[in-house]
Amino acid sequence: MALILFAIFILMPSLTNAYWPPSPGYWPSSKFQSMSFYKGFTNLWGPQHQTLEQNGLTIWLDRTSGSGFKSVRPFRSGYFGASIKLQPGYTAGVITAFYLSNNEAHPGYHDEVDIEFLGTTFGKPYTLQTNVYIRGSGDGKIIGREVKFHLWFDPTKGFHHYAILWSPKEIIFLVDDVPIRRYPRKSDTTFPIRPMWLYGSIWDASSWATEDGKYKADYKYQPFVAHYTNFKASGCTAYAPRWCRPVSASPYGSGGLNSQQNNAMRWVQRYHMVYNYCQDSKRDHRLTPECWG
């Protein structure tokens, strides 16, 4: 028995490290103040499926409608975050989203940066999908740049902070201040440079959301609910002077990630990344030159 306990004691640190990311050593969310929902956002659609209590926003989807919200101001760079809690159980076909877009300003030819939670079936984890669209269209020819993850925690058990940092040099996706993906600007044609608004929504995407549409939204489990709080949107608005300095995800004012942050990101991508469009042999990578540039 003593030998078994000794072996468990020796293995415990390595087991812990295998299931939780190393510290990034820097917490960008702490550098930006939270804002009230009414100060920074407005309802976009489904107002009857939206409630606000103590600065916590609840939105839901049922058979009649989903719901969405939008920032009051457009931005040309910044840090955009929210703490989100998802619904447990059967949520197949349902998308809970937090994203940047200029679709209303450029319909059919818009840019978008997504954090999307793809609903799931009983006993299977949510998939967090990150995505970047550049001057996409609504005709089915949108070129997605999806990278997907299964998180190292259960996102239905409590609130976790999800964020997008968008600067003229890069886009960084973060979960609880751990960088999970960095998308650098390699050319103007593969990077969003036009102002975007910040959005959140819950909606039915049964045609593709869960295992490529195999499982659909089942409204006997309605309502499908998402909780948002701790909203952050800080940076250069579209109306800011040209000298407005872009924010950074690292201690370096010039952007990028430090060595600890890169180490944490590599850990996440090694153990929790489940899809990377650049590694998909079925994709036509002539359309995604950033993969081999």
Side-chain angles (χ1 to χ4, degrees), residues 29-202:
S29 67
S30 67
K31 308 302 178 182
F32 307 103
Q33 289 188 339
S34 299
M35 66 167 61
S36 70
F37 177 81
Y38 285 128
K39 182 180 179 181
F41 299 91
T42 186
N43 174 263
L44 183 63
W45 59 286
Q48 72 280 14
H49 287 65
Q50 197 173 107
T51 61
L52 185 67
E53 295 181 5
Q54 298 180 341
N55 205 38
L57 179 73
T58 299
I59 59 176
W60 63 92
L61 166 72
D62 62 23
R63 196 181 301 273
T64 64
S65 179
S67 188
F69 58 91
K70 174 186 178 182
S71 65
V72 174
R73 298 178 296 173
F75 294 82
R76 64 173 187 259
S77 67
Y79 176 94
F80 310 97
S83 296
I84 302 171
K85 181 181 178 183
L86 304 175
Q87 176 163 312
Y90 187 98
T91 55
V94 178
I95 297 286
T96 302
F98 188 68
Y99 61 103
L100 296 165
S101 179
N102 50 33
N103 182 50
E104 292 176 280
H106 306 284
Y109 196 63
H110 75 286
D111 308 300
E112 191 167 308
V113 180
D114 295 331
I115 290 177
E116 297 174 308
F117 300 94
L118 311 185
T120 189
T121 57
F122 293 113
K124 294 184 179 181
Y126 271 90
T127 298
L128 187 156
Q129 175 171 276
T130 64
N131 205 350
V132 179
Y133 294 126
I134 315 299
R135 289 173 285 282
S137 65
D139 60 5
K141 297 179 181 178
I142 290 177
I143 300 170
R145 293 167 170 84
E146 305 92 342
V147 178
K148 303 178 185 181
F149 303 86
H150 287 163
L151 295 164
W152 52 96
F153 54 84
D154 184 345
T156 72
K157 296 294 187 183
F159 285 93
H160 292 267
H161 198 71
Y162 305 90
I164 299 165
L165 187 137
W166 171 41
S167 80
K169 293 182 178 180
E170 61 195 351
I171 298 166
I172 298 173
F173 299 87
L174 304 107
V175 176
D176 290 337
D177 287 313
V178 176
I180 62 171
R181 177 185 181 185
R182 178 175 178 266
Y183 182 87
R185 179 176 180 171
K186 295 186 176 181
S187 73
D188 289 352
T189 60
T190 61
F191 196 85
I193 56 178
R194 298 178 295 180
M196 293 189 282
W197 285 258
L198 178 60
Y199 294 82
S201 63
I202 188 167

